[in-house]
Structure formats: C-alpha cells, structure tokens
Amino acid sequence: MFYFILDILGTIAFAISGVMVAMDKKLDVFGVFIVAFVTAVGGGTLRDVLIGQTPLFWLKDLTYIVTIIGAVIVAVVFRSRMSYFKRSLLLFDTLGIGLYTLVGVEKGLAVGLSPIMCVALGTITACFGGVTRDILCNEIPVIFRREIYATACILGGFGFFILRQLPLEETYSYATAILIIIVIRLLAVKFKLALPNIYKST
Amino acid sequence: MFYFILDILGTIAFAISGVMVAMDKKLDVFGVFIVAFVTAVGGGTLRDVLIGQTPLFWLKDLTYIVTIIGAVIVAVVFRSRMSYFKRSLLLFDTLGIGLYTLVGVEKGLAVGLSPIMCVALGTITACFGGVTRDILCNEIPVIFRREIYATACILGGFGFFILRQLPLEETYSYATAILIIIVIRLLAVKFKLALPNIYKST
Amino acid sequence: MFYFILDILGTIAFAISGVMVAMDKKLDVFGVFIVAFVTAVGGGTLRDVLIGQTPLFWLKDLTYIVTIIGAVIVAVVFRSRMSYFKRSLLLFDTLGIGLYTLVGVEKGLAVGLSPIMCVALGTITACFGGVTRDILCNEIPVIFRREIYATACILGGFGFFILRQLPLEETYSYATAILIIIVIRLLAVKFKLALPNIYKST
C-alpha cells in the first residue's frame, strides 16, 4: 500500500513535468497528454521491453492512464498557478525517481541480472521517461546536460547492493537506498551541483 | 480481401507521406526509404512490441517492404507531380488511419485488454508511424501540434465499443467505426478544425 | 575468438564515435556515456526487440558495458589527441559494420526470416546505433543524408546470400560478405562517394 501510494505520487509528478515541457512547446491537448503519458511510463516501458515483460504493465492496469489523465487535467486547469507547487513537485519527482530506481533493480533481480545491470535497469526506469519527453519535444535530453539526476539513481542502486550484504532485512535495504537517492538529488538541487561537461578542446 | 486492399492502400499512403517529409529535409535515397518505411509500419511495430508479438509482422510478410519500395519509387519519380494526387493521398491516409485503428483495437481484444487500452493501442497503430517520421526528421510531431487526427482515432475506437453493445454483427461495428474515423478526419480537414493549443500564460 | 575480438573492436569504435558526437554537443559525463552506450549497442537492441530475443544481450553479458566504459574513459582522457587515431577508428568502425551486418543476417536466418528481411535485420544491427546517437543529440541521422554506409551493409548482405548458393563453406561466405562491406565502405570514404539527395523541385 505504501509503495502503491509512492508509485502513484511518482506517476503524478512525472506526468506534470511532461505537461510543463509540452506547454512550453505550445502543443495541443492531445500532444500535451501524450508527452505527459510518455514521461510517466516511458522508463518502465523501455525496461519491460528490454527484459521482455509484455504486454506492458500500463496496458493491463488502468490505474496509470486514469492517474495521468487526472494529473494532466489538474495541471492544465491550474497551469498559471503551477509555480506555487514547484516545491511539492520536486519532492514528488524525487520520491518518484527513488522508487522507480528500486522497482527497476527489483525487476532486474527477478530475471537474474547481475548487480551492475540491475542498477542500469533501475536508472533506465527512473530516467528514460524524461529522456523521451525531451526527444518528443525536440530537445537534447536535459539529464544529458546538467543534472545530478541519473547519478543519484546509480549511487542509490549500488548502495542497495552494498546494504544487501549486511545482515539486514531486505525492506530496510530498499528504504535506505531510496533515501540515498532522495538525499543526493535534493542536495544537488539545493547546492546547484552538476556533473562536469566535457568539451573537445581542453 | 477487402481488408487486405485497405491495408495496402494505407501502407502506400503512409509511405508516400514519409517520402514527402523526407524530401523536404533533403535526405538521400536511403534516408527517404527508411523514413517512408518507418512511417508506414512504425505504428504497428510499437503496438506489437508493447504487446509482445514478435518477430514483427513486416519481418515475416514481404508484402509490406515490397509495397513500400514500390510506393517510394513512384513517389520519387513523380515527385514534381505529387500535388495533383493530394486529394487521393488524403483519402488513402484517412482510410489508413481508420483501418489501422481498428486493427489495433482487434489486437488489443485478442490479448484481453480493456476497452480503454484497446482504443489506446488502435490510436498508437494509426498515429505512431507519423510521430516517428517527424522525430527522425528532427521535428516536433505534427499531430501533437495542430491536427484532429488522433482524436478521430480515439472517437472511432470508442464508437466501436458502443456499437458492440448493440445486437449487431461485429463486422458491421468495425465498418461503422472506421467510417466514424474517416468522417471526423475529413470534416476536420475540410473545415480546418484543430484541438486548442495550451499556453502557459492565459 | 576471432569474431569475439572483431565484436569488441566494433563496440569500441562505435562507442568512441558516440563520445565524439556527444562532446560536440557539450553533454555532461553521464550524457556522453549514454550516447556512447546507445551508439554501440543500439542496433543490436532494436534487432533483438524486433525478433523478440529478450532479455537483451547486453543485460546478460557484462563484456559490453565494461568495454564501453573503458572506451569512454580513454576517449575522454585523450580527447584532444583523438584526431591522430582517425584512421584506426575508421577501420574499427568499418570492421564493426561488416561484422554487425553479418551477425544480424545470422540472427535472421536463425528465426527463419527470408533473405530480404535477414539483410534488413543486418543493416539495422549495423546502422541503428548511429541513428539513435544522432536522434539523442537532436540531429537528423547522418546516414540519412550523405553517406554510403547502409548501402555497403545492404550490398554485403545480399552478397552473402549469393555466395551461399555456391558450393563453399559457410564461414567463407561470411568472411567474403564482411570483406565486401569493408571494401565498399572504404572506397566510398576514399573517393567521397555518396547517394544522390532527392529534392522536391527538379
């Protein structure tokens, strides 16, 4: 139940971030909805396609589309006031990537992947929705340019595998790993930390 | 046989629309062919990847690639006269999205999806080829910006599920749903109807 | 063993070409790595998704990610001297597309596809990584615009099926087909051959 609520909050946050980018590009109602949808479920979709888990989860479970439609309506109606919720959205989004990373890690373990590829799968789950959102909107994906975002997911993912060696309950390792991701991400936002860019002529 | 001819006409229309966009971008022969191919089969490809029906239909049935190669050759050779056929192309394209939507709905029913997701799958089948065409050509997908296109597919798809409740033969429901899509699309083109754009500051 | 070394050399060459394009776009460390990774494994990924071979090969075999991480580190560290290695890189890349094409053809035969679609699958394997690299970097894919690249793969692929009719050992047909691709590609680079562009008004 607790995970389910986090999952829904993450879906909402991702959908709203899609709405924001799509509105900047002056898309029509359908375009805004598709970009929101892809942002919210794109990461999980690529993950499940790569490991062969079809039909896709959002085809079988209506919760996702209903949640996203609701989030889009709210975001569009209150679009002029969305900046008031910036903080809450950042929090949801951060909760979202934390949870999505660990869901991806768990799926990787379930199909017998090595820890490195479990972390890769978790990072794909958390990040690829935003990548697709930016490609659909004809932008170079923002997380390739100036954010500690995927890095938080990767560190949290490896954190989980380190914690797992300790004599702890699995649930505790999951929760701590999610917390690591959240803390790194929030610190990066607060202190405007970013990965170094790489230029050709140095 | 009737469906088969519609399918071929739809493939031709989609392939030619790909050729048009690719020529605008001054691609070479190979680029033009790939964009045409992706426009024609991209929607069905995403649909089958999402529901896990592999190997893909166009890998197993040569009809598609042969039809598309033929369409590309004709479109390239007669490229300076393509504007004469604008009306016929619109008709083929409209037949194509009507048929493709219902093919997608049928596939969704076959794997046991709910009506909403069947309609989503139908809309993906009809629309995603054009979306990929625009991404490959470095444009924001045109159907996200100013067209009643996906909307026609969605309304036709739901129309099918309403008609299906009535004591009619299934074939009749299919045909009527395709007709709904065609009529909405042609009316939208004739009267230049479009979905409202959403701007941030209203 | 021989094939394995070629595969690794191809992966390295493709990864480095990804690093080059990503650095031009001033991506951060994570962005550079992802673009390199996608360039190296993107073609094989699309191939295996289309024929339904999941979980993906690079999720199961760590060789790929380790090789790519190594190639990225070397390319980034020696980025100011990369131009000295231009010739070697072209050679690796050319070996890479030759080998990748035949790997794709072989996979197509293994799932019972017709020769035409085997060649298509081989060409996808060799070329789609570069296509994804360019889409992620917000460019129209370079091989759609001015290169004899896919053409070499297609001709080599069909060459394999012609050679296969002769009373030769299969290994010999494979090697000759790879050689055909390499020779066509190198001649095209040396003599600056390109496919004709197609303009609308001729």
Side-chain angles (χ1 to χ4, degrees):
Chain A
M1 189 60 198
F2 175 66
Y3 279 136
F4 176 74
I5 291 172
L6 275 190
D7 192 6
I8 294 299
L9 288 178
T11 305
I12 292 172
F14 283 149
I16 291 177
S17 98
V19 170
M20 297 302 174
V21 176
M23 286 198 306
D24 268 357
K25 293 281 168 177
K26 309 209 158 90
L27 301 189
D28 68 19
V29 176
F30 176 75
V32 169
F33 170 71
I34 292 297
V35 172
F37 189 81
V38 163
T39 309
V41 305
T45 299
L46 180 59
R47 177 197 64 216
D48 286 358
V49 166
L50 292 176
I51 60 175
Q53 294 215 342
T54 51
L56 258 290
F57 64 95
W58 47 267
L59 286 170
K60 289 182 292 188
D61 180 351
L62 285 180
T63 315
Y64 295 94
I65 197 163
V66 170
T67 304
I68 295 167
I69 290 176
V72 170
I73 292 174
V74 170
V76 167
V77 168
F78 294 102
R79 63 189 174 283
S80 55
R81 280 177 239 170
M82 244 19 223
S83 50
Y84 292 105
F85 303 109
K86 229 177 154 181
R87 253 161 211 273
S88 321
L89 281 178
L90 173 64
L91 205 68
F92 289 180
D93 183 77
T94 307
L95 283 169
I97 60 165
L99 180 79
Y100 278 29
T101 303
L102 273 294
V103 170
V105 166
E106 213 176 350
K107 285 235 177 181
L109 285 173
V111 293
L113 300 182
S114 59
I116 290 184
M117 296 326 291
C118 287
V119 173
L121 213 56
T123 309
I124 288 170
T125 309
C127 299
F128 193 76
V131 169
T132 319
R133 173 197 65 208
D134 295 343
I135 292 175
L136 285 178
C137 291
N138 204 10
E139 298 282 347
I140 294 181
V142 65
I143 68 159
F144 292 180
R145 283 180 296 165
R146 53 175 172 78
E147 297 248 31
I148 301 269
Y149 194 100
T151 314
C153 302
I154 293 167
L155 294 175
F158 282 114
F160 169 75
F161 282 99
I162 293 167
L163 288 160
R164 226 181 155 221
Q165 306 301 318
L166 307 176
L168 300 166
E169 265 205 71
E170 189 111 302
T171 322
Y172 182 78
S173 307
Y174 275 112
T176 314
I178 293 178
L179 206 68
I180 292 173
I181 296 171
I182 292 173
V183 169
I184 295 176
R185 174 68 186 146
L186 291 181
L187 287 175
V189 170
K190 184 157 180 65
F191 297 106
K192 297 202 165 65
L193 302 178
L195 291 181
N197 285 37
I198 299 174
Y199 296 85
K200 217 159 192 170
S201 53
T202 328
Chain B
M1 186 62 198
F2 175 67
Y3 278 136
F4 176 73
I5 291 172
L6 276 189
D7 192 6
I8 295 299
L9 288 179
T11 305
I12 292 172
F14 282 148
I16 292 177
S17 99
V19 171
M20 298 300 174
V21 175
M23 285 198 307
D24 268 359
K25 293 283 169 177
K26 310 211 159 89
L27 302 189
D28 68 19
V29 176
F30 176 74
V32 168
F33 170 71
I34 292 298
V35 172
F37 189 82
V38 163
T39 310
V41 306
T45 299
L46 181 59
R47 177 198 65 217
D48 286 0
V49 166
L50 293 175
I51 61 175
Q53 294 215 341
T54 51
L56 258 289
F57 64 95
W58 49 266
L59 286 171
K60 289 182 292 188
D61 181 352
L62 285 180
T63 315
Y64 294 94
I65 196 163
V66 170
T67 304
I68 294 166
I69 290 175
V72 169
I73 292 174
V74 170
V76 167
V77 169
F78 294 101
R79 63 190 174 282
S80 55
R81 281 177 235 170
M82 246 17 226
S83 50
Y84 291 105
F85 303 109
K86 228 176 155 182
R87 254 161 210 272
S88 320
L89 281 179
L90 173 64
L91 205 68
F92 289 0
D93 184 78
T94 308
L95 282 168
I97 60 165
L99 180 79
Y100 279 28
T101 304
L102 273 294
V103 169
V105 167
E106 214 175 349
K107 284 236 178 179
L109 285 172
V111 293
L113 301 182
S114 60
I116 290 183
M117 295 327 289
C118 287
V119 173
L121 213 55
T123 309
I124 287 170
T125 309
C127 299
F128 194 76
V131 168
T132 320
R133 175 197 65 209
D134 295 343
I135 291 174
L136 285 178
C137 290
N138 204 9
E139 299 281 346
I140 295 181
V142 65
I143 69 161
F144 291 180
R145 282 178 297 165
R146 52 174 172 79
E147 299 247 30
I148 301 268
Y149 193 101
T151 314
C153 303
I154 294 167
L155 294 175
F158 282 114
F160 168 75
F161 282 99
I162 294 167
L163 288 160
R164 226 180 153 221
Q165 306 301 319
L166 307 176
L168 299 167
E169 267 205 70
E170 189 112 301
T171 322
Y172 182 79
S173 306
Y174 275 111
T176 313
I178 293 177
L179 206 68
I180 292 173
I181 296 171
I182 293 173
V183 168
I184 295 175
R185 175 69 185 143
L186 292 182
L187 286 176
V189 170
K190 185 161 179 64
F191 296 106
K192 298 201 162 67
L193 302 177
L195 292 180
N197 284 36
I198 300 173
Y199 296 85
K200 216 158 190 171
S201 54
T202 328
Chain C
M1 188 61 199
F2 175 67
Y3 278 136
F4 176 73
I5 291 172
L6 275 190
D7 192 7
I8 294 301
L9 287 179
T11 304
I12 292 172
F14 282 148
I16 292 177
S17 100
V19 171
M20 298 300 174
V21 176
M23 285 197 306
D24 269 357
K25 293 281 168 178
K26 309 208 159 92
L27 301 189
D28 68 19
V29 176
F30 176 74
V32 168
F33 170 71
I34 292 297
V35 172
F37 189 81
V38 164
T39 310
V41 306
T45 300
L46 180 60
R47 177 197 65 216
D48 286 358
V49 166
L50 292 176
I51 61 175
Q53 294 215 341
T54 50
L56 258 289
F57 63 96
W58 49 266
L59 286 170
K60 289 182 292 188
D61 180 352
L62 284 180
T63 315
Y64 295 95
I65 196 163
V66 170
T67 304
I68 295 166
I69 289 175
V72 170
I73 291 173
V74 170
V76 166
V77 169
F78 294 102
R79 62 189 175 284
S80 54
R81 281 177 236 170
M82 246 16 224
S83 49
Y84 292 105
F85 303 109
K86 227 177 157 182
R87 253 161 212 271
S88 321
L89 281 178
L90 174 65
L91 205 69
F92 288 0
D93 183 78
T94 307
L95 282 169
I97 61 165
L99 180 81
Y100 278 29
T101 304
L102 272 295
V103 170
V105 166
E106 212 175 350
K107 284 237 179 180
L109 285 172
V111 294
L113 300 183
S114 58
I116 291 183
M117 297 325 290
C118 286
V119 174
L121 213 55
T123 309
I124 287 170
T125 309
C127 299
F128 194 76
V131 169
T132 319
R133 173 198 64 208
D134 296 342
I135 291 175
L136 285 178
C137 291
N138 204 9
E139 298 282 346
I140 294 181
V142 65
I143 69 160
F144 292 179
R145 283 179 296 165
R146 53 176 172 80
E147 298 247 30
I148 302 268
Y149 194 101
T151 315
C153 303
I154 294 168
L155 293 175
F158 282 116
F160 169 75
F161 282 100
I162 293 167
L163 288 161
R164 227 182 154 220
Q165 305 302 317
L166 306 176
L168 302 167
E169 265 204 69
E170 190 111 301
T171 322
Y172 183 79
S173 306
Y174 274 111
T176 314
I178 293 177
L179 206 67
I180 292 173
I181 296 171
I182 292 173
V183 169
I184 294 176
R185 175 68 185 145
L186 292 182
L187 287 176
V189 170
K190 184 160 180 64
F191 296 106
K192 296 200 162 68
L193 302 177
L195 290 181
N197 284 37
I198 299 174
Y199 295 87
K200 215 158 190 171
S201 53
T202 328

